[in-house]
Amino acid sequence: MEWRDLSAKRNKEKEKRSAQKGDEFRTPQMTGPTWQTIFLIAAGFVVIWLASGLYIVKPGEVGIVQRFGKMTEITEDGLHYHLPLPVEKVTCPKVKEIKSLEIGFRTVDQGPPARYRQIPLEARMLARDENLVDISFTVQYQIKDPRAYLFHIRDQERTIRDAAESVLCEIAGKNKIEDILTSGKHQVQQEARTLLQQTLDLYQSGLKIVTIELQKVQPPAEAADAFQSVVTASVDKNKVISEAHGYRDTELPKAWAQADQMIDEAESYRDEIVRRAEGDAARFLQNCAQFKGAEEVTRKRLYLETIEQILPQAQKYILESGRELIGVLPFWKEISGNLTDEASADKMTPNKDLRDKNRNGLRTDPNSTIGVQQ
């Protein structure tokens, strides 16, 4: 029994000496974490997880909150909170930003100078006259309904690109290539914008097309020279037409003015003729009434007035009842009295027989004898 105790005592002493020698090489034994440490770590993770629900909506954006994939609310700009993932998530589309989409080309380098890469597969289209034309254009759009924009279409950019290509192909097929290259460019842009907006509204895309701009419209490279000649001829034609319209706009008012002047003169002449005719008719009726009572006197008066109208510049003498001078035309030069000078009577009497009768004191023919001196 003593021997066993001694042996056990020795073994303990050896172990004690071995432990003292290997203390410097021995790793200290770790103790397990306490429940307080585990609680603190878990609380930290919970706090970080809850804090991840804070989010900021920038100006020009709206926040779309989804709970397990279903939209629950739309938030405006500012600081907001939502339940952290995986319970809720937030998407913030830029609803006031005008985005641009290039079709038929891509910008390689903004420059300056900018460099582009053509994509014929998107740009080449067929016109109504069966000619090929390359149309490169840009589509500018804006989000008008963020809910429809996020949930009704999956790939928004690809959808717009495909719809725009389809719309431009349809419109190009309705127009001739000359119209697309020259005067019809603006009309094509307006029709494309309207038709593309109708198409996207049919898709319920929530997008608003701001504008469509044709950047480059040209025929294929193989026929570029021929089409350039056509475009030049069309421009010259439009120039000549514009000049003709300008000349028309200048001369037409003059012609209308001349026409109005001629009409006024004709109306004035008509009024004058009508008044003159009415005056003649009134005088005729007056003379007719006078003629009924004094036919011979009226006949002679009309005769003398007619002679005055026929010979307005001549000096006229009217003789009647032998050598007596009864009247001188014009009447404002009247003279009266008997002619005592035979030479004067001879001068005013046109023939010898009449002179003899006057000398003998005989009466002449009832018709008056008229002597005219120029």
Side-chain angles (χ1 to χ4, degrees):
M1 202 55 195
E2 293 179 357
W3 180 79
R4 291 180 178 177
D5 294 337
L6 182 60
S7 178
K9 188 176 180 180
R10 281 182 170 180
N11 291 334
K12 289 181 180 180
E13 290 178 356
K14 289 180 180 181
E15 291 177 357
K16 188 176 179 181
R17 286 195 298 268
S18 299
Q20 290 177 355
K21 290 181 179 180
D23 283 341
E24 54 185 15
F25 303 105
R26 187 177 302 171
T27 302
Q29 186 176 1
M30 299 295 296
T31 59
T34 62
W35 67 271
Q36 294 90 347
T37 303
I38 295 173
F39 177 77
L40 291 176
I41 294 173
F45 278 111
V46 171
V47 170
I48 294 173
W49 179 72
L50 292 175
S52 65
L54 292 172
Y55 67 96
I56 297 176
V57 179
K58 299 178 182 180
E61 298 179 346
V62 293
I64 306 298
V65 181
Q66 297 174 254
R67 181 177 300 165
F68 299 114
K70 182 180 180 180
M71 190 192 76
T72 57
E73 63 176 332
I74 299 177
T75 57
E76 302 295 333
D77 54 335
L79 180 63
H80 302 276
Y81 182 80
H82 70 93
L83 296 177
L85 290 173
V87 180
E88 291 181 347
K89 72 174 183 178
V90 178
T91 305
C92 297
K94 298 178 179 180
V95 295
K96 294 186 178 180
E97 179 185 8
I98 297 179
K99 302 180 180 180
S100 181
L101 185 64
E102 298 173 345
I103 301 176
F105 71 103
R106 299 292 185 275
T107 301
V108 179
D109 186 6
Q110 295 290 343
R115 294 187 298 112
Y116 305 98
R117 177 172 57 90
Q118 299 296 324
I119 303 179
L121 186 62
E122 294 180 356
R124 186 150 299 179
M125 301 177 187
L126 185 66
R128 191 181 72 180
D129 51 4
E130 298 182 358
N131 287 312
L132 293 176
V133 58
D134 292 341
I135 302 178
S136 300
F137 60 99
T138 58
V139 178
Q140 294 182 346
Y141 63 96
Q142 188 178 14
I143 301 174
K144 66 177 181 180
D145 186 355
R147 183 173 181 272
Y149 174 77
L150 291 176
F151 303 116
H152 288 178
I153 54 177
R154 178 175 297 177
D155 190 346
Q156 295 87 354
E157 183 175 322
R158 186 62 186 176
T159 301
I160 298 173
R161 188 182 302 277
D162 292 343
E165 288 183 33
S166 176
V167 166
L168 258 295
C169 286
E170 179 179 350
I171 295 177
K174 296 179 181 179
N175 295 273
K176 294 182 179 180
I177 188 171
E178 291 85 356
D179 297 334
I180 301 175
L181 293 174
T182 55
S183 60
K185 183 177 179 180
H186 179 71
Q187 182 179 359
V188 169
Q189 292 180 161
Q190 295 299 323
E191 291 181 0
R193 177 183 176 276
T194 303
L195 187 56
L196 181 58
Q197 184 66 63
Q198 293 175 356
T199 302
L200 293 178
D201 291 343
L202 184 63
Y203 295 164
Q204 298 182 358
S205 61
L207 294 171
K208 175 186 176 182
I209 302 300
V210 178
T211 182
I212 292 181
E213 296 182 1
L214 302 184
Q215 301 295 329
K216 192 173 183 181
V217 181
Q218 62 182 9
E222 298 81 3
D225 295 338
F227 275 96
Q228 185 61 37
S229 300
V230 173
V231 172
T232 303
S234 179
V235 171
D236 294 340
K237 180 191 72 173
N238 294 333
K239 180 179 179 181
V240 172
I241 293 174
S242 299
E243 292 176 353
H245 288 170
Y247 179 76
R248 178 198 64 187
D249 296 339
T250 303
E251 295 298 326
L252 193 58
K254 296 180 181 179
W256 283 115
Q258 293 177 358
D260 293 338
Q261 182 180 359
M262 294 176 64
I263 291 173
D264 293 339
E265 293 177 354
E267 290 177 349
S268 300
Y269 178 73
R270 178 199 63 189
D271 296 338
E272 180 182 358
I273 295 299
V274 169
R275 287 194 298 268
R276 185 182 302 172
E278 291 175 350
D280 293 342
R283 284 194 298 272
F284 177 80
L285 294 176
Q286 183 180 2
N287 292 334
C288 183
Q290 295 175 358
F291 182 78
K292 292 180 180 179
E295 291 83 355
E296 185 64 24
V297 175
T298 305
R299 182 182 296 109
K300 289 183 178 181
R301 182 175 61 82
L302 294 176
Y303 176 75
L304 295 176
E305 290 178 355
T306 304
I307 292 298
E308 174 63 22
Q309 293 178 1
I310 295 174
L311 303 172
Q313 303 296 331
Q315 186 72 24
K316 295 167 282 293
Y317 301 92
I318 293 87
L319 298 176
E320 192 175 6
S321 300
R323 297 170 62 187
E324 183 180 0
L325 181 61
I326 66 170
V328 179
L329 295 180
F331 291 109
W332 57 270
K333 251 177 132 180
E334 286 187 7
I335 60 175
S336 61
N338 297 324
L339 293 176
T340 58
D341 189 358
E342 294 180 356
S344 298
D346 293 341
K347 186 177 179 181
M348 291 184 292
T349 304
N351 53 63
K352 183 176 180 302
D353 295 337
L354 185 57
R355 287 199 301 270
D356 295 339
K357 291 180 180 180
N358 289 335
R359 289 193 186 100
N360 296 328
L362 299 176
R363 294 184 61 84
T364 60
D365 190 78
N367 294 327
S368 300
T369 301
I370 300 175
V372 180
Q373 181 183 1
Q374 296 292 341

